[in-house]
Amino acid sequence: GLRNILSVLRQSGAVKRAEPPETDEEMLFMRTVRDMNLSKLVSDDVPLFLALLRDLFPRFTEPPKKTYKDLEESVSRVTQEQKLVEK
């Protein structure tokens, strides 16, 4: 309940500080709420959760996902080196 709200607010502040100043705060908040909660939901609840977000934030149907270019490249490189996936 309230602990989750506090966590979302703290993370939203961290996200806002990490983004360029002109980035839309509402979009950042929607993205933070989405990203912090999707992994905790069972797959049947995901469409309902996303529909609720669309109702709460009608200007943003699909906010851009945060990318972690360096991390993604490192994970890709290591998985290939360790032969964990086939190309």
Side-chain angles (χ1 to χ4, degrees), residues 8-74:
V8 168
L9 292 174
R10 284 185 178 145
Q11 184 63 27
S12 293
V15 167
K16 180 169 172 32
R17 288 187 292 278
E19 294 288 333
E22 65 276 0
T23 306
D24 188 284
E25 287 183 24
E26 189 176 349
M27 184 276 301
L28 291 176
F29 187 70
M30 179 189 185
R31 188 174 76 191
T32 302
V33 170
R34 179 197 64 198
D35 293 350
M36 288 186 70
N37 288 286
L38 273 181
S39 65
K40 299 172 189 167
L41 299 174
V42 295
S43 61
D44 289 343
D45 290 341
V46 170
L48 177 60
F49 177 72
L50 294 176
L52 288 170
L53 283 180
R54 284 191 298 275
D55 288 346
L56 290 170
F57 304 97
R59 291 191 313 140
F60 305 99
T61 56
E62 184 64 31
K65 292 180 173 39
K66 177 72 174 166
T67 58
Y68 302 92
K69 185 178 179 192
D70 294 338
L71 177 63
E72 291 170 4
E73 288 173 357
S74 295

